[in-house]
Amino acid sequence: MDHEADAHRTDLMTITRFVLNEQSKHPESRGDFSILLSHIVLGCKFVCSAVNKAGLAKLIGLAGETNVQGEEQKKLDVLSNDVFVKALISSGRTCILVSEEDEEAIFVEPSKRGKYCVVFDPLDGSSNIDCGVSIGTIFGIYMMKDSHEPTLDDVLQPGNNMLAAGYCMYGSSCTLVLSTGSGVNGFTLDPSLGEFILTHPDIKIPKKGKIYSVNEGNAKNWDGPTAKYVEKCKFPKDGSSPKSLRYIGSMVADVHRTLLYGGIFMYPRDKKSPNGKLRVLYEVFPMSFLMEQAGGQSFTGKQRALDLVPKKIHERSPIFLGSYDDVEEIKALFYAAEEKKE
């Protein structure tokens, strides 16, 4: 790659231009979706800026409150949540918002209401802020089922009804990965321009990877198929090389690496968390949507993740997602275990 020539490129594909190009493929479109995405992008830029100067602005300390999950909230969590709630409402295109930080769903007042429902985790992995590890925002977008007074049923839809999903990772660079249902594209924030530039067009996850990603500190509580799969990763009996363990503990960073390099990311159920730990609506669904759009797959231990129908907005689920062949391998172990029980 000619970095010098790259630095002087003037024909840059910004995320705004990319979204407008996509919109032009749908002549019936009125631009509502593009406006909503531009407000999400603005929220990501704001949070990126706040994360970068968190130490300077004394935003690192605890806010002294706990969120609905019983986790202590960082000041940055509270700020990020406020930023996204305000950005989404002011777009005039949303009707229901579900955030990890808020116990109840937010119903937008009628004068500012639109037809989209947005589910999001404003700052995933925030326990890593103090040590500079990559953290991020995860989001998914649904459309209301029809024109009526919005109800919770409008967001309690299966993941395969999502129109779009993405995440923004705040790390060594600020990267936004987005799918609107026709492939996955990655954009990197150019701080000198204040614009997200297309740097990873049409991301495809390798069919099989050499990395597995799981919190092995929970190993003693795992179920049989998960333990067997991890054992197989470490001590393959077919003469192949063992897989490498990579676990950051920040879902956005772990999934981003899995998407680019291949392999499998796992957060299985265990004795401590029999229903899994990750939240269905704003963690499992958006990441599963992106994985499938990139040619991978996702699995809960029982079924395809995007076929789940959540009953509560903060419902949890086990998740295995990543390269197609790697997920296929763990599926076979789970199904074999089920057959033995029968």
Side-chain angles (χ1 to χ4, degrees):
M1 182 185 264
D2 186 347
H3 290 288
E4 195 174 337
D6 221 38
H8 293 96
R9 278 173 61 208
T10 52
D11 184 29
L12 297 171
M13 176 63 81
T14 66
I15 194 165
T16 308
R17 185 174 149 200
F18 179 86
V19 168
L20 290 173
N21 282 359
E22 289 298 301
Q23 183 189 313
S24 66
K25 295 174 188 172
H26 305 276
E28 73 290 354
S29 169
R30 296 200 329 236
D32 287 349
F33 188 65
S34 302
I35 290 167
L36 173 59
L37 280 175
S38 72
H39 278 71
I40 291 173
V41 168
L42 180 64
C44 292
K45 287 179 186 173
F46 192 108
V47 173
C48 177
S49 170
V51 168
N52 287 343
K53 60 189 179 199
L56 294 171
K58 299 203 186 308
L59 290 165
I60 280 175
L62 291 171
E65 294 174 22
T66 53
N67 68 6
V68 62
Q69 316 299 338
E71 299 160 342
E72 285 188 310
Q73 284 179 301
K74 297 275 185 181
K75 286 179 182 170
L76 210 45
D77 285 13
V78 180
L79 176 73
S80 305
N81 193 45
D82 287 349
V83 164
F84 277 101
V85 168
K86 284 172 181 157
L88 291 165
I89 291 174
S90 67
S91 73
R93 303 300 185 275
T94 58
C95 56
I96 308 172
L97 310 178
V98 172
S99 165
E100 189 209 22
E101 300 297 332
D102 295 318
E103 191 162 356
E104 304 290 334
I106 297 168
F107 289 86
V108 178
E109 60 183 271
S111 64
K112 294 178 180 171
R113 200 173 279 168
K115 59 186 177 183
Y116 295 105
C117 310
V118 183
V119 294
F120 60 99
D121 183 347
L123 205 60
D124 182 73
S126 53
S127 61
N128 287 314
I129 294 168
D130 298 8
C131 59
V133 169
S134 296
I135 52 181
T137 298
I138 309 171
F139 62 89
I141 302 171
Y142 289 103
M143 192 184 283
M144 275 182 70
K145 291 175 182 171
D146 48 47
S147 52
H148 60 263
E149 195 63 23
T151 68
L152 269 187
D153 283 347
D154 291 304
V155 283
L156 295 175
Q157 299 187 52
N160 51 30
N161 287 0
M162 270 186 174
L163 290 182
Y167 59 80
C168 188
M169 184 174 72
Y170 315 111
S172 54
S173 59
C174 179
T175 306
L176 195 150
V177 174
L178 174 70
S179 174
T180 55
S182 50
V184 181
N185 291 280
F187 304 82
T188 303
L189 184 64
D190 182 335
S192 61
L193 297 174
E195 282 281 6
F196 279 101
I197 309 297
L198 181 65
T199 49
H200 296 75
D202 196 22
I203 297 170
K204 294 286 181 218
I205 185 169
K207 199 152 187 290
K208 191 171 177 64
K210 297 175 181 172
I211 294 170
Y212 73 102
S213 183
V214 66
N215 182 356
E216 289 217 41
N218 293 330
K220 71 170 189 172
N221 296 313
W222 286 344
D223 53 27
T226 306
K228 202 176 285 184
Y229 179 76
V230 171
E231 184 73 5
K232 200 173 171 188
C233 290
K234 294 173 169 181
F235 305 102
K237 294 194 169 76
D238 59 2
S240 61
S241 299
K243 288 186 187 292
S244 298
L245 169 66
R246 297 283 184 274
Y247 186 69
I248 298 164
S250 176
M251 189 189 190
V252 170
D254 277 314
V255 169
H256 186 65
R257 184 203 54 249
T258 305
L259 197 58
L260 296 184
Y261 298 166
I264 188 166
F265 168 81
M266 303 180 275
Y267 213 116
R269 66 191 286 276
D270 58 34
K271 288 172 192 159
K272 284 192 304 181
S273 310
N275 298 318
K277 184 130 187 277
L278 298 177
R279 271 68 64 152
V280 172
L281 269 183
Y282 41 80
E283 290 175 327
V284 169
F285 278 171
M287 295 310 201
S288 298
F289 186 90
L290 289 165
M291 277 298 165
E292 288 199 7
Q293 285 292 321
Q297 58 174 330
S298 64
F299 177 63
T300 66
K302 290 183 178 174
Q303 64 183 111
R304 174 185 176 227
L306 291 179
D307 288 339
L308 279 173
V309 183
K311 294 182 175 60
K312 301 192 299 261
I313 60 172
H314 297 298
E315 194 170 307
R316 298 170 189 257
S317 169
I319 187 67
F320 304 85
L321 51 80
S323 294
Y324 194 93
D325 288 356
D326 291 324
V327 177
E328 202 59 35
E329 208 175 328
I330 202 158
K331 275 163 83 170
L333 283 172
F334 270 93
Y335 292 142
E338 283 301 310
E339 278 169 21
K340 273 183 194 170
K341 281 182 202 168
E342 289 166 14

